[in-house]
C-alpha cells in the first residue's frame, strides 16, 4: 500500500468512527471550481493584496474601487459550480450523525452542493448590506447595475456582506465554530493556508482538546506539524475517497 493509500485508509477509519465531524474549508476547496484563491499564484488581483482591499478603511476611502473588486469576484464566481470536493462534504451528511461545516469562503458553493448547517465565517459575496440601516439584500446580478450599489430601502451606500480584515467575526459564528470543535471527534481542515485568524487557530484548538485532525492541502501550512493525518493532494480528488458509501449512521 502506498503512503497516500495508507493515509486515506487511516482517514477513512477515523471518519467511520466519528459521530460528529467539524470541517473547516478555505479558498482551496473552490480552486477546482475555477474560483481564484487568495494567496496562490493566480491569486485574486495580483497587484492588490486582499489585506489592502478587504478592509473597512479601503472601502470608505474608495467604495467604487472596492466594489469593482467584488463585482469582478462575483463575476468570477457566478459561473463556478461545486466540484467533487464540495459534493463529497454534502454527501458526508448522510453517513455521519452530525457535520458542522465552517467555511471562510464567501462563494456559496457548499450550499449549492447541498450542504446544510454551513457556518459562513466571513460572510457571503451574494449579499449586499446597507451601511446605514443594515438591510441585507441577496443579489446575484452580475455585473452590478450601479457601482457602488445603494440600499433599496433607504438609498444609502451598501457594502458587501462580508467580514473584512480588522472587523470582528460575529460572536454567534465563533460560538458555533468552537462548540463544533469541542463536540466533534474528528476535524477536517481543507484548502486553507492557515494564515487568517481566528480560523487559522481552530486546528490548534482541536488538537488541544485531543481531536483527530486531518488536513488536505497542496502546500505546507503553519500548523500542519500538529495534525494527525496530512494529505498533500487536491481536495476534489481526495474527499470523494474518504467516505466509503457502505457506512450507515452510527
Ligand atoms: C478579527 C472575507 C478580531 C472578505 C476574509 C492586525 C490588525 C488587525 C487585524 C489583525 C492583525 N493581525 C492579525 C489580525 C487578524 C486578521 C488576520 O488574520 N490577518 C492576517 C492577514 C494576518 N483577522 C481579522 O481581522 C479577522 N477579524 O480577527 O477580529 C480583531 C479585530 C481587530 C483587530 C484585531 C483582531 C477577520 C478576518 C476575515 C478577513 N476576511 N474574507 C473577502 O473574501 O473578500 S479572509 C480571506 O482569507 C478569505 O475569506 C479567505 O478564505 C481567507 C483565508 O484564505 P484561505 O481561504 O486560506 O485562502 P488562501 O488562498 O490563503 O489559501 C488557499 C489554500 O488552498 C492554499 O494553502 C493552497 O495550497 C490550498 N489549495 C489550493 N488549491 C487546492 C488547495 N488545497 C487542496 N486542494 C486544492 N485543489
Ligand atoms: Zn438602508
Amino acid at each position: 500500500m502506498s503512503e497516500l493509500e495508507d493515509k486515506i485508509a487511516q482517514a477513512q477509519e477515523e471518519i467511520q468512527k466519528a459521530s460528529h465531524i467539524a470541517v473547516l474549508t478555505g479558498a482551496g476547496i473552490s480552486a477546482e471550481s475555477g474560483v481564484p484563491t487568495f494567496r496562490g499564484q493566480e491569486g485574486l488581483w495580483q497587484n492588490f493584496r486582499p489585506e489592502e482591499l478587504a478592509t473597512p478603511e479601503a472601502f470608505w476611502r474608495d467604495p467604487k474601487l472596492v466594489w469593482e473588486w467584488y463585482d469582478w469576484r462575483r463575476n468570477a464566481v457566478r459561473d463556478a459550480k461545486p466540484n467533487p470536493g464540495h459534493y463529497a462534504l454534502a454527501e458526508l451528511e448522510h453517513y455521519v450523525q452530525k457535520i458542522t461545516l465552517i467555511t471562510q469562503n464567501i462563494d456559496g458553493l457548499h450550499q449549492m452542493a447541498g450542504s446544510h448547517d454551513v457556518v459562513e465565517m466571513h460572510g457571503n459575496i451574494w449579499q449586499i448590506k446597507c451601511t446605514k440601516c443594515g438591510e441585507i439584500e441577496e443579489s446575484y446580478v452580475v455585473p452590478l447595475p450601479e457601482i457602488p450599489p445603494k440600499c433599496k430601502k433607504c438609498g444609502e451606500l451598501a457594502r458587501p456582506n462580508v467580514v473584512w480584515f480588522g472587523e470582528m467575526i460575529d460572536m454567534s459564528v465563533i460560538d458555533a465554530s468552537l462548540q463544533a470543535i469541542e463536540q466533534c471527534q474528528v476535524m477536517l481542515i481543507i484548502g486553507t493556508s492557515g494564515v487568517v485568524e481566528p480560523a487559522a487557530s481552530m486546528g490548534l484548538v482541536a488538537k488541544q482538546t485531543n481531536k483527530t485532525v486531518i488536513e488536505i492541502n497542496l502546500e505546507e501550512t503553519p500548523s500542519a506539524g500538529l495534525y494527525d493525518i496530512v494529505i498533500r493532494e487536491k481536495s476534489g480528488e481526495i474527499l470523494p475517497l474518504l467516505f466509503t458509501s457502505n457506512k450507515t449512521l452510527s
Side-chain angles (χ1 to χ4, degrees):
M1 189 186 277
S2 72
E3 188 194 349
L4 175 60
E5 286 164 334
D6 190 32
K7 286 183 176 180
I8 289 172
Q10 280 176 43
Q12 276 178 340
E13 193 185 325
E14 292 300 329
I15 289 164
Q16 294 267 359
K17 287 187 299 189
S19 54
H20 184 171
I21 295 180
V23 184
L24 173 66
T25 64
I29 196 166
S30 296
E32 290 160 82
S33 297
V35 178
T37 63
F38 276 76
R39 294 166 189 86
Q41 302 75 357
E42 77 302 337
L44 296 164
W45 269 20
Q46 281 83 350
N47 44 346
F48 283 93
R49 286 179 344 109
E51 291 78 4
E52 285 165 12
L53 279 176
T55 68
E57 296 75 17
F59 178 75
W60 290 109
R61 189 171 51 243
D62 189 344
K64 186 170 174 298
L65 173 71
V66 170
W67 263 115
E68 280 167 355
W69 184 50
Y70 280 93
D71 198 38
W72 178 83
R73 289 175 63 195
R74 285 160 58 101
N75 189 49
V77 173
R78 177 192 47 187
D79 300 329
K81 296 279 177 286
N83 65 59
H86 294 105
Y87 286 118
L89 289 178
E91 190 66 13
L92 184 60
E93 290 180 6
H94 304 300
Y95 306 136
V96 181
Q97 214 156 328
K98 184 161 172 55
I99 301 286
T100 308
L101 175 48
I102 306 156
T103 187
Q104 298 172 86
N105 300 340
I106 63 174
D107 55 31
L109 289 179
H110 284 302
Q111 295 92 321
M112 207 188 279
S115 284
H116 303 91
D117 191 14
V118 178
V119 179
E120 291 183 312
M121 274 195 86
H122 297 157
N124 188 305
I125 203 165
W126 299 114
Q127 291 173 358
I128 292 175
K129 184 165 93 177
C130 180
T131 58
K132 188 156 171 32
C133 72
E135 175 81 1
I136 292 178
E137 178 207 349
E138 188 124 315
S139 155
Y140 292 84
V141 177
V142 175
L144 285 162
E146 182 193 14
I147 288 188
K150 302 289 182 314
C151 170
K152 285 213 169 30
K153 201 169 158 196
C154 75
E156 289 292 329
L157 177 64
R159 60 169 279 176
N161 190 26
V162 299
V163 180
W164 280 325
F165 290 101
E167 291 189 315
M168 301 301 278
I169 306 263
D170 192 297
M171 270 326 284
S172 63
V173 165
I174 301 280
D175 288 346
S177 306
L178 293 178
Q179 198 177 35
I181 295 170
E182 193 184 314
Q183 291 170 357
C184 77
Q185 291 81 37
V186 172
M187 180 173 188
L188 304 178
I189 299 180
I190 304 162
T192 178
S193 56
V195 165
V196 174
E197 294 297 354
S201 299
M202 290 187 169
L204 178 65
V205 173
K207 281 317 300 171
Q208 285 171 339
T209 49
N210 300 318
K211 309 303 161 78
T212 299
V213 177
I214 301 167
E215 180 186 60
I216 301 172
N217 193 318
L218 291 174
E219 67 177 6
E220 193 62 19
T221 58
S223 306
L226 299 172
Y227 301 152
D228 302 276
I229 303 171
V230 172
I231 300 176
R232 291 270 167 267
E233 300 287 340
K234 289 186 173 182
S235 49
E237 292 170 10
I238 293 298
L239 283 170
L241 303 178
L242 293 192
F243 321 130
T244 46
S245 54
N246 61 358
K247 173 172 171 71
T248 50
L249 271 185
S250 51

